[in-house]
Every structure is written in C-alpha cells, then in structure tokens.
Amino acid sequence: DVKVTQSSRYLVKRTGEKVFLECVQDMDHENMFWYRQDPGLGLRLIYFSYDVKMKEKGDIPEGYSVSREKKERFSLILESASTNQTSMYLCASMGHHNYGYTFGSGTRLTVV
Amino acid sequence: QQQVKQSPQSLIVQKGGISIINCAYENTAFDYFPWYQQFPGKGPALLIAIRPDVSEKKEGRFTISFNKSAKQFSLHIMDSQPGDSATYFCAASSYNNNDMRFGAGTRLTVKP
C-alpha cells in the first residue's frame, strides 16, 4: 500500500522556536506539497516541489521554508514559530501529471 | 482569493437520504475535479474524480455531476449512511499546473 508518512501526529512548540515537519513518500513521486488546514478555510497551499532541490511558493508561504534534498523527503520549516501558525499541516505527493494526490495523516501543531 | 467555492459549510442528513455538496470554480484551465473525503484524525483520501469531457460520473453511491458552462460541479451521496459522516473537499487542477486548489470543505453528519 502506497504511503505518505508524516513524522509527528502532534507537536507543541514555543513561540520563536525553529520547527521542522518531515514528510516521506514511498511512491517515487516527483511532486510533493505542503498544505495547512484551518476550519472554514479548507486546505491552503504553502509550498510545493516538482523535483529534488526545486521548490515553488504556494498561496501562503510567508513564515515558512522548505527543503527537498532527496526525492522521497520534503520538509517544512517554520523559521520562528508564531501562534498564528497553530494549525493542521498536511503533506501530499503526486506522480508526474498523475493528478491524484496521496495525503499523509497530518501533523497538528500547536504554538504556545 | 478562493478559486474553488464550496457549499454548504455543514450538512446534516438522515440515514437513507441524499447528501448534495456543491462547488464552483473560476479558472477555465482546470481540467480535473476530484472530491476528497476526510475522517477525523486522518488525511484526505481521494473519493471520486471527473474530467470535463463528461457530465456525470458514478461510483457506487457517489456521483459527480459536472456543468462546464456554469463552471459548477457537485457531489451526490445516495442512501447516505452514518459511516459517510466526514468532511468532504472538492478540488480542481489543470494539466499544466501540478498544484491543486481546494474548496473550504463540508462537514457531513448522517444521523441514524
């Protein structure tokens, strides 16, 4: 069964901390994505990557950065966590022009 | 600016009834329209998808109706069951862009 694995289900971090969210896929997919999910706002795209070392900004990249050093791994970095970054973070992957996304189970991040 | 608008935000249906969720899009370049189902604590999972060359697609109790001229599509769940209680997201993407745009989500509750 194909999988997208997010390293943590729940995280609690302090304001100002640097936070790393990790995502690994085992489907050899070219494309990987980071979304945040908030009630009433749906899924909003933060960053995506269509190849190793490539990245593109999504709709809400401010306060975030990403890293893709290997094809199977896509990391989301909060350089200095703030309370308004408290959210559910979802990672997804997709094969080249395959259209369908496979999502991970999500990381619920709370910044206090 | 939300490129995919979804309604209603929440929906309560009796067991055996029909659940209908509507979405509208703006970008005429979109050519793939999936619906995702998300249970609490899980990531969204692809439920059913349609391309604009057909007006309807049916898989079991789930049907997508698509109106290209109106730029609208909808999900119908026939004979709704308590196990269908989840959050449903419509989405849209295009062949030339790998990122997908999501609606805000509909929380469906099917009462026994």
Side-chain angles (χ1 to χ4, degrees):
Chain A
D1 198 15
V2 296
K3 273 190 177 175
V4 175
T5 303
Q6 294 184 230
S7 54
S8 304
R9 292 297 304 273
Y10 300 95
L11 274 179
V12 180
K13 297 291 181 181
R14 294 194 179 277
T15 300
E17 274 193 80
K18 191 169 187 176
V19 181
F20 293 85
L21 303 183
E22 305 288 343
C23 176
V24 177
Q25 51 98 0
D26 64 359
M27 296 164 283
D28 200 36
H29 282 170
E30 291 81 4
N31 304 286
M32 296 187 74
F33 308 83
W34 276 105
Y35 286 84
R36 65 177 280 177
Q37 181 178 5
D38 299 288
L41 297 176
L43 280 66
R44 293 180 292 167
L45 181 64
I46 305 172
Y47 267 97
F48 66 100
S49 168
Y50 53 88
D51 202 351
V52 175
K53 297 193 185 292
M54 305 302 290
K55 60 184 180 183
E56 296 283 345
K57 291 180 179 179
D59 297 324
I60 52 165
E62 297 79 17
Y64 303 94
S65 62
V66 289
S67 172
R68 193 164 180 204
E69 296 297 318
K70 294 184 178 181
K71 191 176 186 180
E72 67 271 18
R73 186 180 297 270
F74 192 34
S75 302
L76 179 69
I77 303 156
L78 286 67
E79 296 290 343
S80 177
S82 63
T83 55
N84 62 13
Q85 293 178 309
T86 292
S87 185
M88 169 71 85
Y89 290 87
L90 289 164
C91 175
S93 74
M94 182 182 75
H96 186 61
H97 290 310
N98 188 34
Y99 292 135
Y101 279 20
T102 301
F103 281 93
S105 293
T107 296
R108 185 164 292 283
L109 172 68
T110 302
V111 182
V112 297
Chain B
Q1 183 183 2
Q2 199 167 21
Q3 295 192 38
V4 180
K5 294 184 178 179
Q6 182 172 347
S7 63
Q9 199 169 17
S10 64
L11 181 62
I12 299 173
V13 174
Q14 289 295 127
K15 179 183 175 181
I18 302 173
S19 304
I20 302 174
I21 305 171
N22 300 300
C23 284
Y25 64 97
E26 298 167 359
N27 188 345
T28 54
F30 289 148
D31 60 359
Y32 176 72
F33 302 90
W35 285 88
Y36 286 82
Q37 180 187 53
Q38 184 182 30
F39 293 107
K42 301 284 187 182
L46 180 64
L47 181 65
I48 187 173
I50 196 169
R51 298 192 193 281
D53 52 344
V54 296
S55 60
E56 187 175 281
K57 183 173 182 180
K58 186 175 182 179
E59 290 185 2
R61 296 184 294 108
F62 299 90
T63 300
I64 300 179
S65 297
F66 185 79
N67 185 329
K68 189 174 181 179
S69 61
K71 293 189 284 186
Q72 294 174 347
F73 58 110
S74 59
L75 176 70
H76 292 65
I77 306 174
M78 311 300 288
D79 187 27
S80 299
Q81 299 297 312
D84 297 331
S85 297
T87 299
Y88 292 81
F89 293 96
C90 61
S93 67
S94 64
Y95 184 81
N96 291 325
N97 288 310
N98 289 326
D99 60 295
M100 194 170 296
R101 292 293 182 256
F102 288 84
T106 297
R107 187 174 218 166
L108 172 65
T109 302
V110 181
K111 290 192 173 291

